Amino acid sequence: MEQATYWRLCGLSAALFLPYGLHLPYFPVWLAARGLTDFQIAATLATPLILRVLLMPVIAYVADRRGIAVTLAWCASTMAACYVCLGFLPGIPLVFAVSVVAITAQGSMPALSDALALAEIRRFQKIGLRGIQYGRIRVGASLSVLVMMLLSGPIVAVFPGRKIIFALALLGIVPVIASVRIARRMRKVRFHHGARSGLTEDPRALPLAILVIAAASLVQASHAEIYAFGTLQWAAAGFGHQTISLAWAIGVMSESVLLIFCGRYIRGVPQALAFLLLGGVGASLRWIAMSLAPDAKIVLGLQVLHALSFAATYLGSVSVLGWLAGPNHRARMQGWLSAASALSMALATIACGRLTHMFGAGAYLAMAGLAAVGTGLACAAIFMQGFRKLEMNSV
């Protein structure tokens, strides 16, 4: 039973993230091919993040009450339908509007998938089974993105420019099939009327959860420059399609290695907080180096730091919140993290549109500043957890 659940969750994670491997590096390229300016591209990518701030708490509430897996299936279906529509819509306003809906639906899926996985992990832990590790489930997503990024160069050669959206539409079918199948099996992961806990199982842990959400959101927002303009900047610098694909793939590969080999070391909140701190430090160093506009070889080397800036931050924050969340607030806890991350990423992306126009690669220094603030908040969370532990021991 435990292993069967693991493989289902791992497969779901891989399916949900398959479109990301092409969307992340090449959706901005498709927007540019449709005639959008740098500022319009930044606005198209940032607006769904702002919208998700408003919608994610509502989506997460519905998921906790009505079923996480069912809500996930609806989000996947909406994303796929929007990709299909984008292939035929005329005019920038319609492209902008439908892109916003597609990215909003797509961006809601990871939090729901995390909540579903963590709920199952906690369920098995309560009966003494610890064979499922969140990091290993998340590896399915990373490997899926990695494979698609490695294939993105050849795919774009077949679907160049404005045809990229048709490749995304085909990939969007996979999450729909996977999420509908999992929804039919896992309807039971929903509201427990007998439980009475709040957002955190221990009310005294709420300030710690808020601090973790703030720290993780800032570190993740520091990726805004590379997500929005990395491919465009590298292409302008003369990097070929294969080099760009390899750069993105190295980042995901390093992320996968960390999840495979380091997830086992997170056995509680202290270890998860250490990963969050490590992620902030790695992000600060990464963006300082990127601000120097390095050549292709150095960029490929720096992409290894994605294991820290993204994966360590993500694994640490999601794990902390999974441990702290109340039984009826699994989706909402991850939803608040997703909403906060979306808000910070939206503001950072909008700022990057202007900063990139003015300073080019120098915009990465602002990203280093964001990561540094997040690192400081991670340190504060570690100190708070220490005081909380002392307080619990003294009772």
Side-chain angles (χ1 to χ4, degrees):
M1 176 67 73
E2 188 181 23
Q3 284 302 308
T5 300
Y6 163 74
W7 284 112
R8 279 199 294 269
L9 292 172
C10 192
L12 174 67
S13 184
L16 293 179
F17 278 81
L18 192 66
Y20 274 97
L22 186 62
H23 176 102
L24 188 60
Y26 284 106
F27 193 71
V29 175
W30 178 78
L31 291 173
R34 290 300 306 262
L36 278 71
T37 65
D38 283 352
F39 180 77
Q40 289 171 332
I41 291 172
T44 302
L45 299 177
T47 302
L49 300 174
I50 297 174
L51 187 60
R52 197 167 37 162
V53 173
L54 302 175
L55 292 182
M56 195 63 226
V58 178
I59 293 171
Y61 174 81
V62 172
D64 276 329
R65 302 287 300 196
R66 300 299 180 186
I68 299 173
V70 173
T71 308
L72 183 59
W74 277 106
C75 290
S77 301
T78 301
M79 177 199 70
C82 288
Y83 277 151
V84 172
C85 291
L86 284 171
F88 303 98
L89 291 175
I92 290 177
L94 281 176
V95 168
F96 171 80
V98 178
S99 295
V100 165
V101 177
I103 299 172
T104 301
Q106 185 180 40
S108 302
M109 294 191 299
L112 296 174
S113 177
D114 289 339
L116 189 65
L118 290 166
E120 286 296 282
I121 290 171
R122 288 289 292 274
R123 183 170 69 87
F124 281 114
Q125 286 175 344
K126 287 182 178 180
I127 59 176
L129 298 176
R130 294 180 175 271
I132 300 180
Q133 299 172 12
Y134 171 76
R136 289 186 177 272
I137 293 173
R138 188 59 172 73
V139 166
S142 299
L143 293 178
S144 176
V145 174
L146 172 62
V147 170
M148 191 48 56
M149 283 184 170
L150 288 172
L151 294 174
S152 63
I155 289 174
V156 171
V158 176
F159 296 91
R162 296 177 62 156
K163 295 181 180 179
I164 292 173
I165 198 65
F166 295 114
L168 282 169
L170 291 173
L171 291 174
I173 297 171
V174 179
V176 175
I177 295 172
S179 59
V180 169
R181 290 191 64 182
I182 206 81
R184 296 181 65 182
R185 286 179 172 269
M186 304 183 73
R187 288 176 177 269
K188 61 181 179 297
V189 184
R190 57 164 59 182
F191 193 77
H192 299 280
H193 293 278
R196 290 290 182 265
S197 67
L199 191 61
T200 54
E201 198 160 15
D202 179 359
R204 294 172 297 180
L206 183 58
L208 176 61
I210 293 172
L211 202 53
V212 167
I213 289 172
S217 297
L218 290 176
V219 176
Q220 297 294 15
S222 72
H223 293 76
E225 176 68 13
I226 198 167
Y227 285 169
F229 297 105
T231 298
L232 294 172
Q233 289 170 342
W234 295 337
F239 295 15
H241 283 312
Q242 292 297 330
T243 301
I244 293 172
S245 297
L246 181 60
W248 287 107
I250 287 173
V252 180
M253 192 181 305
S254 63
E255 165 192 324
S256 301
V257 170
L258 184 138
L259 292 172
I260 291 171
F261 294 105
C262 297
R264 71 185 71 176
Y265 297 112
I266 296 183
R267 294 294 183 181
V269 172
Q271 296 89 347
L273 288 174
F275 272 79
L276 178 59
L277 176 61
L278 187 62
V281 172
S284 300
L285 295 175
R286 183 185 183 187
W287 307 134
I288 289 172
M290 286 296 294
S291 71
L292 303 176
D295 61 21
K297 291 182 180 179
I298 296 177
V299 166
L300 294 178
L302 288 173
Q303 284 296 92
V304 174
L305 287 176
H306 193 69
L308 300 181
S309 65
F310 173 77
T313 304
Y314 188 86
L315 182 59
S317 58
V318 168
S319 298
V320 170
L321 298 178
W323 281 92
L324 298 180
N328 280 336
H329 295 78
R330 307 283 188 213
R332 269 171 282 187
M333 182 68 87
Q334 300 301 329
W336 281 113
L337 174 62
S338 178
S341 297
L343 176 60
S344 56
M345 183 67 80
L347 296 176
T349 302
I350 291 172
C352 284
R354 182 64 61 187
L355 290 171
T356 302
H357 179 73
M358 295 173 63
F359 304 109
Y364 282 108
L365 286 176
M367 302 299 100
L370 275 180
V373 175
T375 303
L377 292 177
C379 289
I382 290 173
F383 281 115
M384 181 180 290
Q385 169 63 14
F387 284 120
R388 179 171 168 262
K389 189 174 181 180
L390 287 174
E391 184 182 60
M392 291 174 66
N393 290 337
S394 65
V395 175

